[in-house]
Amino acid sequence: MDGNAYLSLRSPYVEAEDFDKGNVRVITITTAFMAYVGGIADQSYIKFNAIDLTGIKQLKYNVQAIGSGGNIELRLDNANGPLLSKLTVPAADPNGKVDWKELTVAINTTKGKHDLYFVFTALTDQKNDLFNLDWIYFSNK
């Protein structure tokens, strides 16, 4: 063997607030030891660098509906890149109940490392404060 081989392990749970680039806010609740992505508006995004999607079949998101809801689009390599999945986050409960929910979506088969862009889009004329996002789980099942 003439070189070094490295194995990089990463948890399948990725905290949304740990993004590498984006145009959203990170909200921290110190008394609950919690941080998450908020300030999600139409066409805002978060980007994670060099994620290997080999074997990944679906994504699970932990979301909190606070407004009119919206979509989470997973795109490869840039904000307008190939669409791998699209999940609709429903609007907030009109009775004011604001709970975190886990929502799952299948993704198109992809291999290798890619920059992942999670692009947020509105469903209605309300373009700001669509929902909050806590984490993303990359599942091979």
Side-chain angles (χ1 to χ4, degrees), residues 2 7 23-24 26-27 29 34-35 48 52 62-63 89 96 100 104 108-109 138:
D2 290 341
L7 176 63
N23 58 359
V24 295
V26 174
I27 298 170
I29 302 173
M34 182 176 195
F48 293 91
D52 189 351
N62 194 36
V63 297
V89 177
W100 288 95
T104 303
N108 294 332
T109 302
F138 293 81

Side-chain angles (χ1 to χ4, degrees), residues 10 49-56 110-114 116 138:
R10 185 174 197 150
N49 295 333
I51 302 289
D52 189 351
L53 292 177
T54 304
I56 301 301
T110 304
K111 293 185 181 201
K113 288 186 180 181
H114 294 273
L116 302 185
F138 293 81

Side-chain angles (χ1 to χ4, degrees), residues 55-58 137-141:
I56 301 301
K57 296 181 180 164
Q58 63 182 6
Y137 180 78
F138 293 81
S139 175
N140 60 359
K141 296 180 181 168

Side-chain angles (χ1 to χ4, degrees), residues 32-130:
F33 302 103
M34 182 176 195
Y36 56 90
V37 168
I40 294 174
D42 188 51
Q43 299 305 313
S44 61
Y45 73 94
I46 56 176
K47 172 191 174 193
F48 293 91
N49 295 333
I51 302 289
D52 189 351
L53 292 177
T54 304
I56 301 301
K57 296 181 180 164
Q58 63 182 6
L59 299 176
K60 186 185 298 183
Y61 298 93
N62 194 36
V63 297
Q64 182 185 49
I66 59 166
S68 63
N71 296 311
I72 304 174
E73 298 178 352
L74 173 58
R75 295 187 173 270
L76 281 185
D77 300 319
N78 68 66
N80 296 310
L83 180 66
L84 286 187
S85 72
K86 183 175 181 179
L87 173 79
T88 299
V89 177
D93 183 338
N95 297 321
K97 190 172 184 180
V98 184
D99 287 333
W100 288 95
K101 293 181 183 173
E102 295 179 8
L103 301 176
T104 303
V105 64
I107 69 168
N108 294 332
T109 302
T110 304
K111 293 185 181 201
K113 288 186 180 181
H114 294 273
D115 291 342
L116 302 185
Y117 284 77
F118 294 86
V119 179
F120 310 112
T121 59
L123 298 172
T124 68
D125 289 339
Q126 180 188 341
K127 304 292 184 192
N128 296 310
D129 296 321
L130 303 176

Side-chain angles (χ1 to χ4, degrees), residues 14-28:
V14 175
E15 293 293 336
E17 66 273 14
D18 291 339
F19 59 87
D20 294 303
K21 184 177 180 184
N23 58 359
V24 295
R25 293 189 312 260
V26 174
I27 298 170
T28 305

